[in-house]
Each structure stands twice: as C-alpha cells, then as structure tokens.
Amino acid sequence: GLPIVKGRDFTEDDLRTDATPAVLVNEAFVREFLQDREPLGIGHGLKHPRPGRGPAVPGAPLNIIGVVRDSGLPARRNATPPKVYQTFLQANTGFGQMVLHVRAARDSADIMRPIVAAVQEIARDVPMAPVRTLAAEVDAALVRERLVATLSSLFGGVALALICIGVYGLMAFTV
C-alpha cells in the first residue's frame, strides 16, 4: 500500500522462489546508498540483505524493481531510515519477517488470544513475537518525548514556585 514513486510493484513472477530477488527500496535508501543514481535494475553492487545487517552482504544481486515513498514511524529527531522491502517467499529468514495487523471494533484484549491461537494452528513452527496493540507501539515510540515533556513541566513548576517566592520576598521587603 505504499505509494510507488518509480518502477512497479511486486507481481506473481516475483513471488517464485527461483526468481531473482526482487525488492522495493524507499527514497531514503536511494539517497544514501545510490547517491540519487538510477535505482531500477539488477546489481548496483548491492547483495541480498540480512535482517538488521544493512543492504550490502554476500548473496544474489538485488533486482530493484521500484522505489516507494518514505514512510513508517521514524524516530522523531531523525530522518526516515533506508529500507528494503522484499516478498516473504524470497526473504532469507525462512519465513520472512512478517507482521500481522488486525483492526478490531472490540476491545483488543478480547481478540488477541483467538488470533494468536489461529496463527499457531496454521503454522506451529513460526515463532511468535509478543502481541501488542498499535496504542502500545505508539506509546513505546513516544517514551522519550513524554519523559522530556514531563521533566520540562516539572522544572517549569519549580521555576514558577521560585518566581512566586522571589516576588513575595520583594513585596515583603518593599512593604
């Protein structure tokens, strides 16, 4: 669902396990690793990515089929990081790094257990990460900002108290 800026989206041919690893990259990836050169095509000196290890590692050359707009939840103080998107069938983790998003009208606590049970019933050998709500994800992403806001409010309150004491002392001395 990311807007494609250049190139194309994945097709049925890209889903074959014997196909050249097809990837989509974001605009930050093009700026950082390709220095704004033409991104589409096979190679560019880039190799199949390993999760969390960056884009240039030994393996099959990447076929960059498209560029998508920067998106996601970047750190509030940093730019969007470079990202490589590939099909789960071609991911070299065996199962890919998939995330299941569920929108529910009911309370999330009521619906989480049946969803986890259904996923484990379909594929018992798939490791399950902790299940979290989107609200919990946003709260975790904003911890630093909330801490800074709380400390700023606290120091502002202390400063206001000192100002009041100072004004009281000045008025008492003047009277």
Side-chain angles (χ1 to χ4, degrees):
L2 296 174
I4 295 179
V5 176
K6 189 172 196 173
R8 64 176 176 84
D9 200 354
F10 294 111
T11 63
E12 291 291 326
D13 291 336
D14 297 323
L15 296 177
R16 292 191 337 261
T17 54
D18 62 336
T20 302
V23 297
L24 296 171
V25 296
N26 66 351
E27 294 169 315
F29 184 96
V30 173
R31 282 190 303 273
E32 185 168 333
F33 295 108
L34 302 178
Q35 290 77 32
D36 293 323
R37 291 181 292 155
E38 172 59 37
L40 302 181
I42 297 175
H44 293 297
L46 303 175
K47 300 294 182 180
H48 203 279
R50 282 188 291 181
R53 304 285 175 134
V57 294
L62 295 177
N63 181 17
I64 299 175
I65 61 169
V67 178
V68 296
R69 185 166 291 133
D70 291 341
S71 67
L73 285 174
R76 296 288 154 232
R77 291 178 178 81
N78 301 330
T80 303
K83 292 184 181 178
V84 175
Y85 302 95
Q86 65 184 131
T87 65
F88 68 94
L89 292 174
Q90 291 182 343
N92 60 353
T93 60
F95 295 105
Q97 294 178 332
M98 293 183 280
V99 176
L100 174 65
H101 293 275
V102 177
R103 180 179 298 194
R106 299 188 331 210
D107 184 28
S108 60
D110 294 339
I111 201 166
M112 281 189 192
R113 283 189 288 290
I115 290 172
V116 170
V119 169
Q120 289 183 338
E121 182 180 321
I122 293 169
R124 293 199 182 280
D125 53 346
V126 173
M128 291 283 294
V131 177
R132 296 183 294 235
T133 63
L134 187 57
E137 289 283 328
V138 171
D139 285 345
L142 297 176
V143 166
R144 177 182 277 171
E145 284 76 10
R146 287 194 176 127
L147 178 63
V148 169
T150 302
L151 288 174
S152 297
S153 299
L154 178 69
F155 289 135
V158 169
L160 183 62
L162 288 174
I163 290 170
C164 291
I165 292 170
V167 169
Y168 172 78
L170 180 63
M171 293 303 290
F173 179 75
T174 303
V175 170

